[in-house]
């Protein structure tokens, strides 16, 4: 039985990706002739694909030898993918432990272009859950995940993000820059962020940062639930357990807070 044809495939894009795949798998620079021969495509077509991929930095072109190899953008994406896979692997046991204890949705997010992106999520086994989904992009200023990262970013990076438009997600979203800056200072002091109804009406979310070996906030972990289920006792326990979980992941990434505290005192 033949496979059902996919009418949504854009053939030139598909062929360009096959060119990229071939060059990447070779492990050494290749010529236009080699690529065209192996893929059985016209040289003129392959040349256009190679030039386009080079312009986008997915490939590089050695003009003297007239050969093509893997470009910086491709290597960068590969490193990001490897790093993200490692982060997920380290965080998953801690996330599962939190889910088992609280039976509320546990999220892992990173920053991309001024937004938090949900890269892993374990959902509560309850009828009433939060609306966020894996892969969603949400503003940093309206989420506990974003605030937890934002509070610990280097000052220049933090200021740059705060200068972007701060839109309302709900009527409770903090969009005043001065108020948000004070909020972030509080988060830095206590080590966690709590957001109530700022990103989604009726919800509450507790976020904690995850640091790498350079004390940079590479990600954040959070617990989200309907506000009515988050009593004071549960909130206090969740904060403690989230900080413990994020600390374990940070330590696995090479973060040693005592080293930075000592360096700060010496300075």
């Amino acid at each position: 039985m033949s496979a059902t044809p996919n009418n949504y495939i854009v053939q030139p894009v598909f062929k360009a990706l096959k060119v990229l795949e071939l060059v990447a798998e070779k492990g050494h620079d290749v010529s236009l002739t080699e690529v065209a021969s192996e893929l059985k495509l016209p040289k003129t077509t392959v040349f256009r694909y190679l030039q386009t991929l080079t312009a986008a930095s997915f490939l590089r072109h050695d003009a003297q030898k007239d050969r093509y190899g893997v470009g910086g953008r491709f290597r960068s994406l590969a490193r990001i993918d490897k790093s993200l896979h490692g982060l997920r692997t380290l965080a998953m046991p801690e996330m599962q432990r939190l889910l088992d204890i609280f039976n509320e949705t546990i999220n892992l997010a990173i920053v991309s272009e001024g937004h938090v992106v949900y890269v892993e999520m374990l959902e509560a086994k309850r009828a009433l859950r939060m609306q966020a989904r894996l892969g969603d992009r949400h503003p940093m200023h309206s989420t506990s995940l974003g605030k937890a990262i934002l509070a610990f970013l280097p000052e220049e990076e933090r200021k740059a993000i705060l200068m972007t438009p701060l839109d309302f997600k709900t009527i409770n979203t903090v969009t005043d820059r001065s108020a948000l800056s004070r909020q972030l200072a509080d988060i830095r002091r206590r080590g966690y962020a709590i957001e109530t109804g700022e990103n989604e009406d009726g919800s509450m979310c507790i976020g904690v940062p995850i640091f790498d070996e350079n004390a940079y906030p590479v990600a954040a972990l959070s617990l989200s639930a309907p506000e009515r289920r988050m009593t004071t006792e549960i909130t206090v326990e969740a904060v403690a357990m989230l900080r413990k979980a994020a600390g374990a992941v940070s330590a696995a990434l090479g973060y040693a807070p005592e080293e930075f505290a000592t360096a700060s005192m010496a300075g």
Side-chain angles (χ1 to χ4, degrees):
M1 183 176 178
S2 60
T4 303
N6 188 338
N7 295 325
Y8 295 103
I9 291 177
V10 180
Q11 284 299 325
V13 175
F14 184 79
K15 291 175 182 177
L17 290 172
K18 296 301 288 183
V19 169
L20 177 61
E21 179 184 34
L22 177 66
V23 176
E25 287 180 344
K26 283 295 181 181
H28 58 78
D29 290 359
V30 296
S31 67
L32 165 63
T33 302
E34 289 176 73
V35 177
S37 176
E38 291 205 29
L39 294 179
K40 297 180 172 54
L41 293 171
K43 274 190 177 183
T44 52
T45 300
V46 173
F47 177 74
R48 288 197 296 270
Y49 293 154
L50 288 169
Q51 288 294 306
T52 301
L53 290 165
T54 299
S57 298
F58 284 99
L59 295 180
R60 57 173 174 74
H61 181 219
D62 185 333
Q64 288 188 331
K65 297 180 180 179
D66 197 17
R67 298 178 76 83
Y68 296 85
V70 172
R73 181 62 178 156
F74 182 89
R75 294 187 189 282
S76 174
L77 289 175
R79 283 194 297 271
I80 291 171
D81 182 69
K82 183 179 179 181
S83 175
L84 193 54
H85 176 73
L87 177 64
R88 283 198 188 102
T89 300
L90 292 172
M92 185 57 74
E94 300 296 334
M95 294 177 69
Q96 185 63 56
R97 194 171 295 115
L98 290 166
L99 178 65
D100 292 342
I101 294 170
F102 297 101
N103 193 21
E104 299 291 1
T105 300
I106 310 300
N107 310 291
L108 177 68
I110 61 170
V111 176
S112 176
E113 298 178 348
H115 288 70
V116 286
V117 179
Y118 293 77
V119 296
E120 195 56 81
M121 182 180 292
L122 297 181
E123 293 194 88
K125 300 173 179 67
R126 302 195 190 196
L128 189 57
R129 297 173 293 187
M130 299 300 95
Q131 294 179 5
R133 292 292 177 263
L134 193 63
D136 281 359
R137 299 166 62 88
H138 287 183
M140 294 187 73
H141 68 280
S142 67
T143 59
S144 70
L145 288 161
K147 292 182 198 227
I149 295 173
L150 196 53
F152 292 91
L153 283 175
E155 186 176 2
E156 290 304 311
E157 286 187 51
R158 184 168 62 251
K159 284 182 176 178
I161 291 174
L162 290 178
M163 289 309 295
T164 61
L166 302 177
D167 298 327
F168 282 96
K169 285 283 286 182
T170 73
I171 194 171
N172 297 311
T173 307
V174 177
T175 59
D176 179 81
R177 288 181 174 80
S178 297
L180 185 56
S181 293
R182 289 193 296 272
Q183 195 178 70
L184 295 176
D186 287 339
I187 292 167
R188 280 194 297 279
R189 280 193 292 271
R190 67 190 185 212
Y192 63 92
I194 293 183
E195 164 265 305
T196 305
E198 288 190 57
N199 197 62
E200 183 180 335
D201 286 321
S203 72
M204 180 175 177
C205 196
I206 305 166
V208 291
I210 293 173
F211 299 100
D212 66 9
E213 71 276 12
N214 298 311
Y216 187 86
V218 292
L221 198 60
S222 77
L223 178 150
S224 56
E227 184 182 355
R228 71 188 191 195
R229 290 207 295 251
M230 296 299 290
T231 64
T232 300
E233 294 77 10
I234 291 174
T235 300
V236 169
E237 185 183 3
V239 166
M241 296 301 292
L242 278 162
R243 294 190 69 184
K244 182 179 178 181
V249 178
S250 297
L253 289 172
Y255 176 57
E258 64 278 1
E259 290 182 12
F260 291 95
T262 301
S264 177
M265 290 173 65

